[in-house]
Each structure stands twice: as C-alpha cells, then as structure tokens.
Amino acid sequence: MQTPDRSSDDLTNITFVGSYLPRRCGIATFSADLADAVAEADPGLEIRSVAMNDRPEGYRYPPRVWFEINRNRLGEYRLAAEFLNMSHVDVVSLQHEFGLFGGDAGSHVLEMIRRLRMPVVATLHTVLQKPNDDQLEVTRSLAEECGRLVVMAERAYEFLTDIYNIPKEKLTLIHHGIPDVPFVDPNYYKDQFGVEGRKVILTFGLLSPGKGIEHMIAAMPRITKAHPDAMYFVLGATHPGVIEHSGEDYRLSLQRQARELGVADNVRFINKFVEHQELVEYLGAADIYVTPYLNEAQITSGTLSYAVGAGKAVVSTPYWHAQELLAEDRGRLTPFGDDDALADAVIDLFTNEVERHAMRKRAYQFTRQMRWEQVAQQYLAVFHQVRQEFMANPKPVITDGSNLALASTSSSVIYGSSELTEVKLDHLLTLTDDVGILNAASATIPTRDAGYTIDDNAMALFAVLLAHDHTDFGANIEIERLIARYLAFLDHAFDDSTGRFRAHMQYDRRWSTAETPEDAHGRAVWALGEAVARCHRRGPMSLAAKLFQKALPACEKFEHPHARAFALIGIHAYLRRFSGDSSARRVREHTAQSLYDQFRGNCKDDWPWMIDTLTYSNARFPHALLLSGRWMFRNEMIELALHSLEWLHHMQTSPGGCFAPIGTEGWFPRGGNRARFDQRPAEAAATIDACLEAFRVTRDRKWLDRAHRCYDWFLGDNDLHVPLYDPTTGGCHDALQPHGVSENQSAEATCAHLLSLLSLHDLAMDEKQARAAEREKKLLADISAGGSAAKPRTPPPTPPAKPSAPISTT
C-alpha cells in the first residue's frame, strides 16, 4: 500500500515564469532576485524558472532556467504547460506585464495558465487605471485562473477592486523586494568612482525616453550654480527595445543637451548593465536619488524601491508608486516636467543636511519590511496557502479534446449505464515478466529497480481469474499462463518457517528481509481464496487451496483491521467452493466477530467507522462485513455495514456529485480536514466491490448506480475531469493529483482498474443469467399450467454459461 511521503502543504518545487537574467529588463532582475530569496528562505525547495525570450536565439541562461518560451509562439505556451505538468511543479509564480507575453495585451500567457495543473500566483508589475478592452479582459482572466494576484502598491489594490471588479480575497499586497544593505555615509563609497568630496545625484535603470532624464539635466545648471561640486550619475544601459527601434539616439541627445547647457563635466553617463554588488556601491555613493519620470501610470518601480531601501534622500515626480513610497516625508515630490521644481528640491536637500539625513533615516526604517528575506517569507506563505486551496478545490484539467470521450471510447465499445468498456490486458502483460508482475512503472515502462511485491502479484492473479471468467473457456491461452505465473510467485513467496508470505522480491530474485505487513498476507489469502473459487483447472486450484490452507492460521492472529477485511473476503471466496471446510469457517467466524466488535466499539453517531481515520481501502470494511452477515446469517453485521457504507458514500462524494476518494496526503482524521489528493485507483476498486455486494444483499439499485458512478471516476468523471484509465495501453495512472494524473501506470493502479471493470462485468453476467433463468422458469410454469391442451411452444434456448465481454491482449 502506498502511503504519502509528505504532508499536503509541503512544497518541493516552485517554478517562476517571466523574463530572467541575463536578459536585460527589470522583470528579469526581479525574477532572479525573488527566486534567489525564496531558495535561501527554504533551502529544501527546488527552484526553477521558465524564461520568456524576446528574440529567437534566446539567452545563455543559468541552470535554474529549465524551459524557454518564444513570446510570439502560442504553441510554445502549451508545451510549457505540458512540461510543467509532467514535472510535478507545486506552484507557479508568474511575473506579469502585458508586453512580456505575445498576443493582444499579452493574452498568449492565458493559454499556458489554463492548462496548468497546479496553482498559479501572478505578480502584477503593471496595473493600469484606464485599461483598454484587451487589457481589462486579460487582467480579469488572470484573476479567474490564478490562485492569487500579488500587487506591490496600495494603489494597484484599489484599481483592481474598483475598476477591474476583482474580489479582494484574490489579492495580496507584497512590496517590491530590496537588498539588505547597511545604512552608510555616502562618502564611504565615493572614492571608488572618483567623486570624493563631491555631492552625488544618481538615477539608475535601463535608459528610455519615458524616464525624463532630460528634465534632470535641464535642472543641473541651477543646481551646479548653487553647488558647483554636484555630480549627476546616469547609470544603466539603454533599454534593448529602444536600441532595436532607435539605437542610442536618446542617450546621444542627453549627452548633447548636457554639453549645450555647459554641465557636461557635472553629468556622467555609465552605459552598462551593472551587477548587484556594483549597483549597491553606486547607491551607497549617492547623496540624492532622482526619478524624474514623465507619467504617473507607473504602479511599481524597482529602482525607486532599491534607492529608498538603501536609505537615500529621494526626489521624484509623483507617479503612483512614488506617491505611496515617499509619503510621510520619506522623499520629495515635484510636478511632472518641471525642471525648476527638480532643481529647487535638490538644492534644498543639499543645503539642509539635517533634513536630508532625517529623510534618509525615515526611508531606511520604513523599508526594513521590504528586504528580500522578508518578501520571500511572504511569498512562501502565499504559495502554501494557494496550494492548500487548490488541493481542496482543484480546477478541471484543460486539454485539446474531451477527456471523457477519450477514455470511454475504446475499440468502438461505448461505456454507459448499460454497456461496459473493453477489457484490455496489454499493460498487465507489459508489466509481467517470467517471475511475476513488476511493482512500478516510469510512465508505461516497467521499473525493474522496484522489484516485485506479493500484493501486486496477488491482485494480478485475481484480475486474470476474473478475466478468464469472461471469455470462452480455454480460448485465451495467455490468461492461463498468467494465472500460472502469478500463482507460482505466491507459492515461492510463502515461507514455511514463519507461516507467512514474504512481501518483496528484488529484481535479482532476492527476497527482502523486512517483516511482511499483515495487509500483504491478507491480500495474498484473498487472491488465493478467489483462485480456489474460480480456477477451472484442477492443477492451479489444488495449489491455490494448499497455499490457502497453509496461510490461513496466521489470519487468526491479525491485529490490523485492513488485514482482517482482506482475509475475510478471501475466506468467503474459498468457502464458495469448499463450504464445509471447518478450519476456514472457524477463522471466518473469529475474524468477522473481531472486525464487527472493533467497528461497534468505535462507532459514534457522527463517526460511524471502526477507526478514527479514513485511510486506504476504506470500503473493504463494510464489504467484508456484508459478506459475513450474508453468509453467516448475521443481520446486525449487514445493518452496520450498510450504515457505514452509506456514510462513506457521502464522505467520498464531491460537491459536484462525482466520486472523490479520500486523499493519501493527510487522509481524513476524525475532527480534522479531509485530504483531497492524491486519489488512488485502489479506493475506487474497493468502493465498487462494496457497492456491488450491497446491491446483492439488498437488491436496491442505488448501490448499483453508485458502483457505476465510482467506475466513471476512472473515465474522467472526477474532480479534475481527466481520465485515469488509458485506453491505448489498458493501464491506469497511479493517482489523481492536484495538477492532474500521475504519469506512471503501476501494477497496483492497473490491477485496481481491471478488477473494477471486471467486477461490473461479473455482476452483469450474474444478472443476465438470473434473468434468463427467471424467463425459463416462467415459461415452464406457463406450459405446465396449460397442460396437454396448451398450444405447443418452441423450447427456450439454453442461456450461455459465460457471456463473453470484449477482451484484448494485443
């Protein structure tokens, strides 16, 4: 039995989507800084990035970047989603700006997000007060598809709620991160840049016309007149987009302006994209930082955040982020395009050192909450929260076609309320070698390192026995060979010295020395009982009976309730053939009573269950009690089993009405929260069997309907609307996970699906035979009532002993 290896809120992989260094743009720097900070905050996390390329050749990215998208190619967004789904990413952190992605208003990115099978947290680097129709639609779609939208300013929060009508619970405010730098005297760094003893003004960032540098240069003559030692650093390379369209025209025009105004010696252009440490040193050397931007529609500014975080006195035009960050005298605001106001503010701060240093201190203290280490913790808290919400309410999986149609149409056999899909043994054969069935698979390829388990070979034996019952006797020689192979494995697994089965064999045919769990022994007894009941050939039946009898005594010592239930089901199967076996009857009575007593002892009105946690194979408990009550004539067992199965049905039904078994990532403790994932095929198989037995006992068709509803879970009628059964291989995916299905098709999952399907075929065969017998009985009664005077009738045809189900092994 597979158990969860981590709790439901554990994170193992966070992938950041956006531009990434060495691409030169502010979001690339932000993405890299945030990824570094999150990795440092939680060293156990695997941090990856998907990088957006703005040129066909891409960039020479660091190893953290594991996928690249050409922004203009819609198909690559779909491929990225498929790649991330396959890689089992826990949370995607999307860095969003309209121009970063292709399509109208960057709409291409929605194609990826809608296909992702994990929660997405989108950080909005641009929020517009007056969006056009495309921008409005894209932003609203992001809100709908993402678990959370992160904004970096209060103004953005207000816009999204008031203008875009996005619910407040979808929004989180986390400030732009900043490096943790000491509060130092600017003179400490000035000698590195040859400006010791001078007053330094700084603007940094990628150079583009919207930055308004020309207004700061226009203010320099007045500033240098009051403070001849003033030096203005314009730090940063020209924006790549500007270079592509107009080369270095803007930079050259600024240099020409400085010369014409006679301040060329007081303005220094540093045309380079500086690394983190060099940027910190330039910031450290600055007395005043200036952002003379031309437009208020800038909701966040990384350069402004860095400057305020470094404890700089700031003069800025009143764009949105500056209004917020520089409030409460943390900086000076001047009107847009007002050269004189810029000059007045700078001159005043240079003249009034006391005020300048007080401003620096206020700014530095305010931004301690914005350090990357603090920001990383806030993002991690959001990541954990959205993952928990996603697991509780996963979104349906989007593919290129109808999931349900894909799974439910196989070899022209349509599944519906009365027809069952084809039985296909191909993947079972793929997993089976000359020893037995291998435990695991990597996708559809058997994994030899995992070896073989007694559980899987027991269930594989049961599955092929059922498959044999639904073909013409002896028609499929391959099934006979599989029966022999799995039975031989169980025979070899039995340890006469302990009276128990060994649980695990390595691929080199060495048995593991670990003690066999009671569950594994119970499943083996179950399969052997079914083999005794169903084998048509004497040889396999005799071996199965011999092994069953040797394994039976250990069942009386079981303490684990699951093991008792498994064994009971097998004992009842065995007694179908050898009903007079006193030893089996005695063990049945003892085990059934123990199970019943444990059930009664733990049952409460609000928790009618035998243990305090719903875990795995839950429905096997009522299944075993229904069999025991039916064949031991114990109505109290039947009543208890039906009551508990009814309760379990409600616990395992989603709000939408589909089957939703208890997830393995946390189970469902009494008084606690129900784990939504991972949902396992074995739970569906157990519930189908229990519901079918409830139908046999009560003849109430609701149980038959519920069994079919459980089977629909395999075909895509589940929380994510994605099939687990793979009609191309006949295999079954291991689990339904928050992001979709596991890619692997193991023996446990494949056998669980086969047993589910074949159990429904089994009941259909029983019902068909019962109806035929009833018709024959009625016909004979009519003939008898009519006597010799009755009109002669044609005798009814003899019903077939085993109506064949569609079956394939190729």
Side-chain angles (χ1 to χ4, degrees), residues 574-620:
Y574 173 86
L575 288 172
R576 292 207 305 269
R577 173 155 261 174
F578 297 118
S579 59
D581 189 317
S582 298
S583 295
R585 291 166 68 93
R586 184 181 63 253
V587 175
R588 176 180 69 175
E589 183 174 357
H590 168 79
T591 307
Q593 189 63 47
S594 298
L595 201 66
Y596 176 75
D597 290 344
Q598 185 174 355
F599 226 128
R600 292 293 301 171
N602 198 67
C603 264
K604 298 293 185 295
D605 290 342
D606 65 333
W607 190 264
W609 204 246
M610 67 182 311
I611 53 178
D612 286 337
T613 303
L614 285 173
T615 57
Y616 61 94
S617 296
N618 294 298
R620 294 299 175 196

Side-chain angles (χ1 to χ4, degrees), residues 387-415:
R387 184 167 186 269
Q388 290 175 340
E389 293 170 359
F390 183 87
M391 294 184 69
N393 296 287
K395 67 178 183 180
V397 173
I398 304 299
T399 65
D400 290 317
S402 168
N403 293 324
L404 197 58
L406 172 68
S408 59
T409 359
S410 174
S411 300
S412 301
V413 179
I414 301 173
Y415 174 79

Side-chain angles (χ1 to χ4, degrees), residues 322-372:
Q323 291 178 37
E324 191 169 311
L325 198 55
L326 301 181
E328 300 178 352
D329 293 326
R330 290 187 293 269
R332 294 278 181 89
L333 297 177
T334 65
F336 293 104
D338 192 330
D339 309 343
D340 289 335
L342 276 173
D344 289 341
V346 171
I347 291 168
D348 182 60
L349 288 174
F350 275 151
T351 303
N352 191 345
E353 289 195 10
V354 174
E355 172 56 23
R356 185 171 82 248
H357 290 305
M359 180 185 292
R360 291 182 58 217
K361 187 174 181 180
R362 286 191 293 271
Y364 188 80
Q365 290 176 337
F366 176 79
T367 54
R368 293 310 85 203
Q369 62 179 322
M370 296 167 54
R371 291 173 295 167
W372 276 119

